[in-house]
């Protein structure tokens, strides 16, 4: 992997990734809510990408969300990459009531972001 560092190692600017992930995941989830005709406060549950607990906690804080409305299982599995949200949904699906609004938001390599709002019917 080409890089500009003399020792040939790959470097990640963790602070930049953290800041960008929190800001963009919040923004894209808000946009998804608007597109779905709802708001963050009307969501019954939010399932963010499980990159690390600090990012999840910062999303909760930034958006003034009640902690109980944001699902986290990272302490059990760690960051399982693109599988974090599917694993969360498998774990909680039976407890989700019909017509509850669930917000999903994620980020990945290359600073890609995505979100959606779904409901169980």
């Amino acid at each position: 992997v080409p890089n500009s560092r003399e020792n040939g190692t790959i470097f990640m600017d963790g602070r930049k990734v953290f800041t960008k992930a929190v800001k963009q995941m919040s923004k894209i989830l808000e946009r998804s809510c608007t597109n779905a005709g709802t708001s963050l406060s009307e969501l019954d549950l939010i399932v963010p990408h499980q990159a690390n607990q600090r990012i999840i906690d910062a999303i909760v804080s930034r958006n003034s969300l009640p902690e109980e409305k944001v699902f986290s299982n990272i302490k059990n599995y760690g960051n399982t990459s693109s599988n974090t949200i599917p694993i969360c949904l498998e774990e909680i699906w039976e407890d989700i009531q019909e017509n509850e609004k669930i917000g999903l938001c994620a980020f990945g390599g290359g600073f890609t972001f995505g979100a959606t709002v779904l409901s169980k019917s």
Side-chain angles (χ1 to χ4, degrees):
V1 176
N3 65 69
S4 61
R5 298 184 69 144
E6 288 182 30
N7 63 4
T9 60
I10 297 171
F11 173 77
M12 178 182 74
D13 184 345
R15 186 176 304 243
K16 182 178 180 180
V17 171
F18 174 86
T19 302
K20 188 97 166 169
V22 171
K23 182 179 178 182
Q24 291 301 110
M25 284 174 60
S26 297
K27 183 178 176 180
I28 196 85
L29 182 58
E30 183 71 45
R31 186 182 314 157
S32 291
C33 286
T34 300
N35 291 343
T38 192
S39 67
L40 279 175
S41 64
E42 293 175 311
L43 294 176
D44 296 294
L45 186 65
I46 297 169
V47 180
H49 170 56
Q50 308 288 297
N52 70 53
Q53 191 62 50
R54 285 185 58 236
I55 290 173
I56 296 168
D57 292 343
I59 290 169
V60 167
S61 176
R62 178 184 178 98
N63 296 287
S64 302
L65 299 167
E67 287 183 26
E68 63 273 7
K69 285 182 81 172
V70 181
F71 184 77
S72 174
N73 66 4
I74 195 163
K75 69 180 179 287
N76 300 329
Y77 305 107
N79 181 348
T80 58
S81 189
S82 62
N83 295 308
T84 65
I85 291 176
I87 290 169
C88 289
L89 290 175
E90 172 62 26
E91 190 170 322
I92 63 175
W93 195 251
E94 293 301 318
D95 295 328
I96 297 173
Q97 302 300 308
E98 198 167 308
N99 297 319
E100 282 188 322
K101 295 177 189 172
I102 312 301
L104 311 176
C105 57
F107 75 97
F111 287 132
T112 55
F113 299 88
T116 195
V117 175
L118 57 88
S119 64
K120 185 175 181 179
S121 58

